[in-house]
């Protein structure tokens, strides 16, 4: 299965003649189901796929904590949340005095930069250049915080703007004598999926069948039953699905009005031209029940794909620039997301759960040296920092939980590679109402422990789930109490305790 050609590896055994540049592109909430080199059912992403076709595709890539800020902290530090201190989006502030891979690259003579979503509450450190959006950022005419401390509104669509600013820095902002590491952090594909006006009309002819688990009854899975990220119950008709009308009310109507309120008259006119007939038709037909489920799902999928079209085009612009400038041959290109996402599986949107769709994240890399093919070993976003340091020929410091992925580039496999992954999610109570949990995943099984006090009158929870991913890839049968699985359950519990011990958790 591992089909990585032995044509070379990213790092030569002796120091490279010219240190390799790094272009790291990360999106928000982009999931492998919506990337055509992983899944051909829905989206077409030719530029993202190009990275995989000219490089490697990780088929078992995961995060350590499926949420934006925590993922970013894991990625920068190479450490799990309990060590980097950024557990949750809501109350944490990233300690920006701690060690990160951009700081180490900078010390080794790299020029470092980050453009786009940051979401760590403190300002970036370890970067020669940065320009970030406050919080989640806005799709239209977003504000950017500059290094001078000013917050300045930029006219245009966010995915284009983040790319423009990245290209400006590559072309004329950096010191061309130094190797560079540029992190391009997109807001796309984050909720509420507002497409660029030029892409609004796309995909309107496409229909999508509801996923098999769309009407999941969550039997044997109390935390899955208690979430508030259901397309049917929680997806907002106005905010998420844009069915705004003056006489209609919804929980997030005001937020939607603030977002469209940012548009200039031209953008607003194009927006209204597209949505007005859809809104009229929707309230005239007033679908209910299964018809409403199908309607919501279809609109969600189409909007997500329109936003993705901008993303893919803009990644293409960056790749083209590397080609035209001659930088391509000595630049490592990484594409990933801060986590995966539900596209209607279990009836959901959003992430957070240790279930496959949100535990996984897309990961493809194009390596100078030409490694190609699929890498099947389990990797995690705590591995990015050591990998990028290793690629730059910089020593990986002690204390990182992740490991360099370099040994996998030779054959797609490595002797003694990890056989299990640790995951922990803490953000409860919070939007989405997903209970805190931790767990372990091997190539075949997954053991999850739900724990912690309830909120707003919800009971405390202390509950276990076990999945046999080979027999039950959709994770709808919790076999924790099944006799036949007792030996496996014991073995996984032992592994999990061992892992927590190694990581210094309680
Ligand atoms: C916002 C979203 C949520 C999302 C979180 C975290 N609501 O609160 O749907 O789960 O961000 O997302 S919204 O009304 O602001 O769209 S994360 O990717 O930043 O972790
Ligand atoms: Ca995210």
């Amino acid at each position: 299965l591992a089909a990585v050609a032995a044509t070379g590896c990213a790092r030569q055994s002796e120091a490279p003649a010219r240190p390799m540049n790094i272009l790291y592109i990360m999106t928000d909430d982009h999931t492998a189901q919506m990337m055509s080199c992983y899944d051909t059912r829905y989206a077409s992403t030719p530029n993202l796929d190009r990275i995989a076709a000219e490089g490697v595709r990780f088929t078992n890539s995961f995060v350590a904590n499926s949420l934006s800020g925590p993922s970013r902290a894991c990625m920068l530090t190479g450490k799990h949340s309990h060590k980097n201190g950024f557990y949750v989006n809501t109350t944490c502030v990233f300690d920006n005095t701690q060690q990160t891979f951009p700081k180490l690259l900078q010390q080794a003579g790299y020029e470092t930069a980050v453009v786009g979503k940051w979401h760590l509450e403190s300002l970036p450190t370890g970067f020669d250049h940065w320009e970030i959006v406050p919080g989640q950022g806005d799709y239209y005419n977003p504000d950017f915080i500059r290094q001078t401390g000013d917050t300045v509104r930029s006219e245009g669509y966010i995915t284009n703007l983040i790319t423009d600013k990245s290209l400006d820095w590559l072309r004329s902002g950096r010191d061309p004598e130094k190797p560079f590491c540029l992190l391009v952090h997109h807001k796309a594909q984050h909720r509420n999926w507002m497409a660029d006006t030029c892409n609004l009309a796309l995909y309107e002819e496409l229909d999508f069948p509801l996923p098999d688990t769309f009407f999941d009854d969550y039997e044997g899975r109390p935390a899955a039953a208690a979430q508030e990220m259901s397309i049917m119950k929680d997806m907002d008709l106005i905010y998420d699905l844009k069915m705004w009308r003056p006489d209609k009310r919804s929980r997030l109507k005001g937020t939607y009005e603030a977002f469209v309120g940012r548009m200039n008259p031209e953008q607003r006119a194009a927006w209204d031209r597209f949505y007005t007939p859809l809104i009229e038709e929707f309230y005239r037909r007033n679908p209910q029940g299964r018809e409403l489920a199908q309607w919501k799902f279809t609109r969600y999928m189409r909007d997500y794909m329109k936003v993705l079209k901008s993303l893919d085009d803009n990644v293409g612009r960056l790749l083209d620039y590397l080609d035209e400038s001659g930088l391509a041959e000595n630049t490592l290109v990484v594409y990933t997301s801060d986590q995966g996402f539900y596209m209607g599986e279990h009836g959901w949107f959003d992430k957070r759960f240790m279930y496959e769709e949100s535990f996984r994240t897309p990961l493809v890399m194009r390596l100078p040296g030409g490694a190609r093919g699929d890498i099947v070993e389990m990797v995690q976003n705590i591995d990015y920092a050591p990998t990028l340091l290793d690629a730059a020929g910089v020593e990986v410091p002690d204390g990182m939980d992740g490991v360099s992925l370099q040994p996998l580039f030779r054959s797609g496999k490595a002797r003694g590679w990890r056989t299990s992954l640790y995951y922990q999610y803490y953000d409860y109570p919070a939007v989405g109402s997903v209970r805190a949990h931790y767990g372990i995943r091997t190539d075949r099984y997954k053991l999850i422990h739900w724990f912690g006090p309830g909120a707003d009158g919800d009971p405390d929870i202390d509950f276990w789930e076990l999945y046999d991913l080979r027999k039950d890839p959709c994770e709808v049968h919790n076999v924790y109490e099944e006799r036949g699985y007792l030996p496996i359950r014991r073995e996984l519990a032992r592994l999990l305790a061992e892992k927590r011990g190694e990581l210094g958790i309680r």
Side-chain angles (χ1 to χ4, degrees):
L1 215 68
V4 174
T7 47
C9 56
R11 191 160 61 120
Q12 321 295 313
S13 45
E14 67 279 10
R18 280 182 306 154
M20 183 187 299
N21 303 307
I22 298 166
L23 173 61
Y24 174 94
I25 309 170
M26 179 163 68
T27 31
D28 195 338
D29 295 357
H30 183 214
T31 190
Q33 303 96 292
M34 301 302 277
M35 183 160 161
S36 41
C37 71
Y38 281 106
D39 191 332
T40 53
R41 287 176 300 170
Y42 309 123
S44 163
T45 51
N47 290 296
L48 302 182
D49 295 2
R50 205 178 123 192
I51 303 171
E54 295 168 1
V56 295
R57 178 183 73 146
F58 291 82
T59 58
N60 286 298
S61 154
F62 298 85
V63 296
N65 182 353
S66 182
L67 199 60
S68 170
S71 261
R72 290 158 207 274
C74 290
M75 183 276 272
L76 288 168
T77 60
K79 294 175 183 168
H80 277 284
S81 304
H82 69 284
K83 288 199 197 160
N84 67 48
F86 200 99
Y87 305 80
V88 298
N89 277 343
T90 35
T91 53
C92 288
V93 177
F94 184 67
D95 169 10
N96 64 7
T97 65
Q98 68 185 302
Q99 193 61 274
T100 62
F101 81 82
K103 285 185 188 171
L104 292 163
L105 289 179
Q106 211 178 27
Q107 283 161 25
Y110 271 70
E111 275 240 309
T112 57
V114 59
V115 180
K117 183 171 173 181
W118 180 247
H119 211 202
L120 288 170
E121 301 309 322
S122 54
L123 292 176
T125 51
F127 295 96
D128 296 295
H129 170 77
W130 55 262
E131 190 166 358
I132 58 171
V133 296
Q136 298 285 8
D138 282 292
Y139 275 111
Y140 278 89
N141 309 329
D143 289 335
F144 282 87
I145 307 170
R146 298 191 175 157
Q147 250 162 316
T148 52
D150 302 330
T151 298
V152 182
R153 182 175 167 124
S154 289
E155 193 81 356
Y157 186 69
I158 193 160
T159 311
N160 301 334
L161 291 168
I162 288 171
T163 309
D164 293 346
K165 290 173 191 293
S166 300
L167 282 168
D168 283 351
W169 184 78
L170 285 174
R171 287 200 179 103
S172 54
R174 68 191 173 90
D175 176 353
E177 299 304 315
K178 290 183 173 178
F180 68 81
C181 172
L182 169 61
L183 314 185
V184 182
H185 286 190
H186 284 287
K187 171 187 176 65
Q189 300 286 335
H190 197 270
R191 194 182 184 187
N192 65 338
W193 314 290
M194 289 172 76
D196 194 356
T197 51
C198 61
N199 292 329
L200 282 172
L202 295 177
Y203 314 126
E204 287 296 310
E205 72 291 359
L206 298 183
D207 285 307
F208 309 93
L210 294 174
D212 291 343
T213 58
F214 191 88
F215 295 107
D216 195 342
D217 61 7
Y218 313 120
E219 199 198 322
R221 291 159 290 147
Q227 61 34 67
E228 292 173 2
M229 43 187 256
S230 145
I231 292 176
M232 277 308 278
K233 286 192 288 115
D234 307 302
M235 190 173 258
D236 195 280
L237 277 177
I238 294 178
Y239 174 67
D240 291 308
L241 301 167
K242 292 92 183 171
M243 294 297 108
W244 185 90
R245 223 170 68 171
D247 59 319
K248 297 291 175 187
R249 297 276 165 271
S250 80
R251 195 171 63 82
L252 296 171
K253 184 182 186 184
T255 315
Y256 179 74
E257 287 171 343
F259 287 178
V260 292
R262 297 186 70 88
M263 293 179 178
N264 64 34
E266 221 175 290
Q267 294 163 342
R268 187 59 196 268
W271 190 263
D272 289 343
R273 234 184 347 265
F274 176 74
Y275 277 110
T276 303
L278 287 181
I279 293 168
E280 278 169 15
E281 203 216 328
F282 174 73
Y283 288 114
R284 188 175 47 74
R285 275 191 30 227
N286 191 22
Q288 300 294 324
R290 207 183 164 96
E291 203 198 338
L292 179 62
Q294 183 66 64
W295 180 89
K296 282 182 129 182
F297 181 64
T298 303
R299 289 246 54 90
Y300 168 44
M301 293 290 280
R302 289 179 188 162
D303 284 359
Y304 192 100
M305 284 170 58
K306 294 172 200 202
V307 173
L308 187 58
K309 174 70 165 85
S310 285
L311 190 263
D312 188 73
D313 288 347
N314 275 289
V315 170
R317 290 174 65 206
L318 281 171
L319 296 178
D320 288 348
Y321 172 72
L322 292 185
D323 287 342
E324 288 154 20
S325 60
L327 287 167
E329 66 180 53
N330 194 39
T331 301
L332 165 63
V333 180
V334 179
Y335 178 79
T336 189
S337 171
D338 65 345
Q339 12 70 206
F341 213 68
Y342 295 93
M343 303 306 302
E345 298 88 358
H346 307 285
W348 299 337
F349 64 101
D350 220 72
K351 52 265 177 173
R352 301 165 187 274
F353 282 104
M354 196 192 170
Y355 302 133
E356 290 291 280
E357 290 81 359
S358 52
F359 185 20
R360 287 178 177 271
T361 199
L363 178 64
V364 293
M365 293 187 192
R366 186 175 74 187
L367 298 123
R372 271 166 202 251
D374 279 354
I375 292 178
V376 299
E377 301 282 13
M378 289 191 292
V379 305
Q380 205 165 19
N381 59 351
I382 48 170
D383 299 330
Y384 300 176
T387 303
L388 298 178
L389 290 171
D390 202 0
V394 176
E395 200 185 326
V396 179
D398 289 342
M400 287 192 177
D401 298 318
V403 293
S404 170
L405 302 174
Q406 295 282 340
L408 300 176
F409 295 141
R410 255 158 251 149
S411 68
K413 287 198 159 223
R415 205 188 294 268
W417 193 256
R418 65 161 75 89
T419 52
S420 64
L421 290 181
Y422 183 74
Y423 178 88
Q424 186 155 351
Y425 171 82
Y426 305 77
D427 203 6
Y428 178 86
V431 56
S433 288
V434 175
R435 302 296 298 238
H437 57 293
Y438 60 83
I440 193 162
R441 185 196 191 279
T442 64
D443 65 339
R444 178 159 177 189
Y445 299 103
K446 189 185 290 180
L447 179 69
I448 307 176
H449 183 213
W450 307 87
F451 70 97
D456 304 334
D458 293 342
D460 289 12
I461 196 168
D462 177 9
F463 189 79
W464 292 83
E465 288 174 22
L466 174 64
Y467 295 98
D468 182 339
L469 299 170
R470 192 179 298 165
K471 290 193 179 154
D472 176 28
C474 295
E475 297 163 294
V476 290
H477 303 296
N478 172 15
V479 295
Y480 187 78
E481 299 294 348
E482 285 186 20
R483 277 186 86 82
Y485 283 96
L486 253 177
I488 286 149
R489 163 179 148 179
R490 284 204 193 100
E491 170 60 10
L492 284 171
R494 189 192 62 74
L495 268 177
L496 179 57
E498 188 181 284
K499 200 88 169 178
R500 282 168 66 85
E502 275 167 26
L503 290 170
I505 308 178
R506 261 182 297 154

